Amino acid sequence: MKRTRRSLISLAAGLLSMTMLSGHAMAQSTLTMLIDNGANTVAITEALVSAFEKSNPDIDIEIETRPGGGEGDNIVKTRLATGQMTDIFYYNSGSLMQALAPQQTLMDLSGEPFMANVSDTFKQVVSVGGAVYGIPISPAEAGGIFYNRDIYAELGLKVPKTWAEFMANNEKIKAAGKTAVIQTYGDSWTSQVLVLADYYNVQSAVPDFAKQFTAGVAKFAKTPAAEKSFERLKQVHDAGLMNEDFGAATYNDGLRMLVNGEGAHYPMLTFAIPALAENYPELLAKVGFFAQPGDDAATNGLTTWMPGGFYIPKTSSNPGAAKKFMAFVASTDGCKVLEQTVGVNGPFLINGCKLPDKVAPVVADLLPYFAEGGHNAPALEFLSPVKGPILEQLTVEVGTGIREPAAAAASYDEDARKQALQLGLPGW
């Protein structure tokens, strides 16, 4: 009897222990996450979080949004500096990430097994001093010109390979009584695209510009090919090509105008493709894309962007669960979520992930630039850690006609100098 009683007691204790362990296992672990409020970022993040929570029912993720642009940058920097950042946050890669002082604020992920899945191309733009801090939230992207295919067909226009051809198309569109170039300065960050997406043309003219700019030698105001990027923004304004409400229109307004044929061109990054696919699936086929043209058709090429990434701050209260989420995103399962729920806008940066056999026409327009023999180059912010934070203010001023390109270029050089000094770069 004693043996039986002991067995029963042991069994009861075991059951109690299992119940307690089960209760512990099922106790919800909550992660907090901060992302920008862009429609594509929200769509991608919500899809990834939903899929992750289904396969990890013991982890809840609470998503908080912030504004984009300079205001959002300040929120991220302030929360990191005060130790109040969420467990995971989304932010840019490249120079803006380096401005977060990642060695002091972010968790080094280089030793995590899931980092083996991340392409070396992306690791380069989220690394400082041998440490790697982020994983990509989406495929590779690019900056250029979205266009409405119906307007092009109606007016018999061809995709331009030079800036002169682009402006000639714009004049024909304007003559037909249509908005030629959509601009959305209500979201000031969008004003930068015509300048930033021109970098392939800058590099074609001055191959070592990024190196010399980082060293404090090359300047926008003293490099004609670089200053021309600001001049092109002014040309679009001075020719009267923009929508009347360009000062108040937002990014979402721009996407709507593009797909509905309310405007022919929208300078934008291809991270807009998932938002277009989600919000206007029946109209997506009306949208095309081409690289921002330069002066020579023979050197026509694309300025590429690495996507933003997810990061874990050193102050995360649950780094284990945060890393589990990161591992899910950096997997083929994460890629499938993107493909099935928010679309694909370019080549994946997770090893083993492949594009579907059929992609939207606008994605097909992008792929030749990445194919063997295609012409592309990273945006300056991925080749240099220096990116002045007031650029969007300057591009709004140039784009509204209240500041001359030469003055904007000189002001940007001064802003870049201040940031280079903060980063401790030599030569400035």
Side-chain angles (χ1 to χ4, degrees):
M1 286 294 294
K2 287 182 179 180
R3 184 176 181 180
T4 302
R5 187 180 180 188
R6 285 175 184 160
S7 296
L8 289 172
I9 292 172
S10 296
L11 177 61
L15 288 172
L16 178 61
S17 177
M18 289 178 64
T19 300
M20 292 175 66
L21 287 172
S22 176
H24 176 71
M26 293 306 294
Q28 294 301 102
S29 176
T30 300
L31 290 175
T32 55
M33 178 184 293
L34 180 68
I35 63 173
D36 69 58
N37 60 5
N40 56 298
T41 306
V42 173
I44 290 171
T45 303
E46 288 183 344
L48 289 169
V49 166
S50 177
F52 175 77
E53 288 179 338
K54 285 180 181 178
S55 58
N56 296 272
D58 58 326
I59 302 177
D60 285 332
I61 300 180
E62 297 178 352
I63 301 173
E64 176 186 353
T65 61
R66 60 167 176 81
E71 183 181 355
D73 291 342
N74 289 335
I75 290 172
V76 169
K77 292 175 181 176
T78 299
R79 293 180 69 161
L80 283 173
T82 58
Q84 298 180 4
M85 180 51 76
T86 52
D87 294 303
I88 303 169
F89 70 99
Y90 167 75
Y91 195 64
N92 302 70
S93 55
S95 62
L96 291 177
M97 184 280 297
Q98 293 191 36
L100 298 180
Q103 301 97 317
Q104 287 77 47
T105 61
L106 305 184
M107 192 169 294
D108 180 7
L109 304 176
S110 58
E112 300 299 325
F114 60 79
M115 290 305 295
N117 298 336
V118 179
S119 74
D120 291 339
T121 300
F122 184 78
K123 288 179 183 176
Q124 291 177 4
V125 301
V126 290
S127 297
V128 177
V132 186
Y133 297 102
I135 61 169
I137 190 175
S138 59
E141 299 163 348
I145 314 292
F146 284 102
Y147 71 99
N148 184 282
R149 293 179 186 274
D150 286 353
I151 293 177
Y152 261 55
E154 176 188 343
L155 300 179
L157 304 177
K158 295 182 179 180
V159 170
K161 295 293 182 69
T162 68
W163 184 258
E165 291 173 355
F166 175 62
M167 292 300 286
N169 280 0
N170 286 327
E171 290 298 334
K172 292 177 182 178
I173 295 164
K174 179 183 176 182
K178 305 177 186 294
T179 294
V181 180
I182 300 165
Q183 290 288 63
T184 53
Y185 295 171
D187 284 323
S188 58
W189 62 267
T190 68
S191 68
Q192 304 173 89
V193 176
L194 277 174
V195 170
L196 298 178
D198 198 46
Y199 185 70
Y200 179 88
N201 300 315
V202 176
Q203 181 171 296
S204 294
V206 188
D208 66 345
F209 181 82
K211 180 180 179 180
Q212 296 301 323
F213 180 68
T214 303
V217 176
K219 307 293 182 182
F220 273 78
K222 296 181 179 180
T223 306
E227 186 178 312
K228 187 177 290 185
S229 300
F230 288 95
E231 293 171 356
R232 286 175 170 151
L233 182 59
K234 176 178 169 58
Q235 288 173 27
V236 168
H237 170 269
D238 290 354
L241 303 174
M242 304 189 298
N243 44 303
E244 291 184 358
D245 64 342
F246 69 88
T250 66
Y251 164 71
N252 288 330
D253 292 331
L255 298 184
R256 185 201 71 248
M257 294 173 68
L258 174 70
V259 298
N260 288 329
E262 298 172 44
H265 299 119
Y266 188 28
M268 184 44 58
L269 306 187
T270 57
F271 65 44
I273 294 176
L276 289 168
E278 180 180 10
N279 297 320
Y280 308 99
E282 74 284 359
L283 298 176
L284 184 61
K286 296 179 180 292
V287 179
F289 178 87
F290 56 85
Q292 182 165 319
D295 292 330
D296 185 356
T299 59
N300 180 246
L302 182 68
T303 303
T304 61
W305 261 257
M306 289 295 100
F310 284 125
Y311 304 91
I312 303 175
K314 288 184 176 180
T315 55
S316 173
S317 60
N318 197 343
K323 290 176 182 178
K324 195 170 185 180
F325 174 76
M326 302 284 264
F328 173 78
V329 176
S331 71
T332 54
D333 287 338
C335 294
K336 290 176 182 176
V337 170
L338 293 178
E339 178 184 337
Q340 295 170 1
T341 61
V342 293
V344 177
N345 63 335
F348 284 111
L349 295 168
I350 301 298
N351 297 328
C353 295
K354 297 181 180 179
L355 288 172
D357 294 332
K358 293 184 179 180
V359 296
V362 66
V363 177
D365 289 343
L366 176 67
L367 298 180
Y369 297 105
F370 288 95
E372 184 175 353
H375 295 152
N376 69 79
L380 179 59
E381 64 194 76
F382 302 108
L383 300 172
S384 171
V386 182
K387 183 183 180 184
I390 69 167
L391 178 60
E392 66 187 74
Q393 300 170 30
L394 296 173
T395 49
V396 165
E397 292 175 354
V398 174
T400 54
I402 63 176
R403 184 185 288 261
E404 290 299 312
S411 294
Y412 185 64
D413 286 333
E414 175 59 21
D415 194 40
R417 185 187 70 84
K418 292 176 181 177
Q419 194 203 40
L421 293 175
Q422 290 178 352
L423 295 173
L425 298 180
W428 291 80

